[in-house]
Amino acid sequence: MATTADFRNGLVLEYNNDLYVITEFQHVKPGKGPAFVRTKLRNIKTGKVLDNTFNAGVKVTTARVEQRPHQYLFRDDYGFTFMDNATFEQVVLPEAMVPFADLMKEGQEATILFHAETEQPLTAELPTTVELIVTYTEPGLRGDTATNTLKPATVETGARIQVPLFIEQDQKIRVDTRDYSYVERVK
């Protein structure tokens, strides 16, 4: 059990007979009335985000989860296959449990969350940035750099992201896995 004072980003709660992870929280103490905590909760199984308000001091049930490093091997009809780096056991996750799967390439490291009591895999998390090669993009027009203009590009995994005009085909770029945004060019 925990209270609202123990809230932090990444804490996993058992709420409404489901597992939710806190993505955002804000402690609010208005001038009139009792304090409360506004939260954004993401359902681990479905990925849906729920806005919820808890009264300050309310007890909530936390779930014990473990993060284990895995390596992404391949995708087939059953889902995405990952290998545990320590025990070499393989875990197959369905597509719904792997957000931003179109940014993964074979051999890449990922972290899988496991429910500690049941040893059931919950979700896979990519690192915050990945390095990918641009396989196709239109050439940028010379002199079109006065504004922060973006153009579509396809990377080696098949994902389409927006990149600046100076990015060309076969260049390696770093992509933020949380929102598909271009971070920088990799040399």
Side-chain angles (χ1 to χ4, degrees):
M1 291 296 266
T3 66
T4 55
D6 300 320
F7 279 7
R8 66 185 189 288
N9 290 342
L11 181 69
V12 178
L13 305 176
E14 291 180 11
Y15 182 72
N16 288 344
N17 298 325
D18 227 343
L19 293 177
Y20 288 87
V21 64
I22 296 176
T23 57
E24 255 180 65
F25 72 98
Q26 179 183 19
H27 185 80
V28 180
K29 188 172 181 183
K32 202 192 276 189
F36 58 92
V37 179
R38 268 194 204 112
T39 60
K40 282 191 188 280
L41 305 171
R42 182 175 48 85
N43 188 315
I44 289 182
K45 291 179 183 169
T46 63
K48 290 184 179 178
V49 177
L50 172 74
D51 291 325
N52 196 21
T53 303
F54 294 95
N55 291 330
V58 170
K59 292 190 179 202
V60 292
T61 307
T62 57
R64 242 184 66 223
V65 294
E66 295 177 357
Q67 295 182 344
R68 299 182 192 153
H70 283 68
Q71 181 181 17
Y72 170 59
L73 297 178
F74 59 89
R75 179 183 182 175
D76 59 7
D77 294 339
Y78 300 107
F80 296 90
T81 303
F82 294 88
M83 179 183 67
D84 190 327
N85 293 340
T87 63
F88 304 110
E89 292 180 13
Q90 293 186 3
V91 177
V92 179
L93 297 179
E95 190 170 349
M97 296 172 89
V98 185
F100 307 112
D102 56 348
L103 292 177
M104 279 193 320
K105 59 183 180 180
E106 292 179 1
Q108 184 173 348
E109 296 294 319
T111 303
I112 297 184
L113 290 178
F114 284 88
H115 194 273
E117 285 87 33
T118 62
E119 285 298 315
Q120 179 183 5
L122 300 173
T123 185
E125 294 179 352
L126 290 174
T128 53
T129 60
V130 293
E131 293 179 2
L132 300 169
I133 296 172
V134 175
T135 55
Y136 178 76
T137 187
E138 295 288 333
L141 298 175
R142 190 169 184 88
D144 246 0
T145 57
T147 60
N148 225 356
T149 310
L150 301 174
K151 63 180 180 178
T154 305
V155 293
E156 61 186 303
T157 59
R160 292 183 52 87
I161 63 168
Q162 296 291 319
V163 297
L165 290 176
F166 60 83
I167 297 296
E168 297 173 359
Q169 192 166 320
D170 298 327
Q171 284 186 331
K172 188 181 271 193
I173 61 171
R174 188 165 285 131
V175 179
D176 190 330
T177 58
R178 296 169 289 194
D179 59 0
Y180 287 86
S181 64
Y182 165 84
V183 177
E184 65 183 349
R185 184 170 35 184
V186 179
K187 300 208 185 298

